[in-house]
Amino acid sequence: MSIPDEMLKKVFVESQNKLQEYSRQLSHVRAQQQAKQRDVRLNELTQKELKQLGSDVKTYKGLGKAFLQVDLSSLNQELDLKISDANSEIKALERAGAKLERDLTEGQNVLRDLLERR
């Protein structure tokens, strides 16, 4: 039983479109992952610099166009929270990227099978 050429062509075009979409999504996920990793590094470096300060030093947090005086400990806690949130988001993005890579590989296999049938 042979698949008609029109049907084969339609399936081939749909598969190509899916592959393009998976590829776009994968590059978007990787860009988000890199941005989160950059945020983690920035927060870790900030935290490292804050640890070098004495406990009697006044620290300020940017709040829009103004600065708000905050305790050093609360600033460190906030940075810890930002780092842990970013790390959990990175893990979620890694899972999403792995799924997209699997989908991309499966789609490439489908295209390869379609080309072999022809």
Side-chain angles (χ1 to χ4, degrees), residues 15-102:
S15 295
Q16 276 186 324
N17 290 339
K18 283 182 182 179
L19 280 178
Q20 289 174 351
E21 182 62 28
Y22 290 149
S23 181
R24 265 192 302 272
Q25 289 176 356
L26 185 59
S27 64
H28 182 67
V29 164
R30 286 183 178 157
Q32 286 179 323
Q33 195 173 5
Q34 288 175 346
K36 289 296 177 187
Q37 288 171 342
R38 194 171 34 253
D39 289 344
V40 167
R41 281 193 305 271
L42 180 66
N43 287 328
E44 286 174 344
L45 287 172
T46 303
Q47 200 170 41
K48 181 181 172 186
E49 291 296 320
L50 288 176
K51 286 181 181 177
Q52 294 175 359
L53 299 176
S55 60
D56 60 336
V57 175
K58 293 182 181 180
T59 54
Y60 296 89
K61 175 183 169 185
L63 189 64
K65 293 183 180 181
F67 291 95
L68 184 65
Q69 184 176 355
V70 292
D71 293 336
L72 185 59
S73 61
S74 65
L75 201 53
N76 277 324
Q77 288 174 350
E78 185 177 327
L79 287 171
D80 282 336
L81 183 63
K82 284 182 182 181
I83 290 170
S84 65
D85 287 347
N87 281 330
S88 64
E89 289 178 25
I90 288 171
K91 287 178 185 170
L93 289 169
E94 285 173 352
R95 286 190 298 270
K99 183 187 180 317
L100 286 170
E101 285 175 354
R102 281 192 309 271

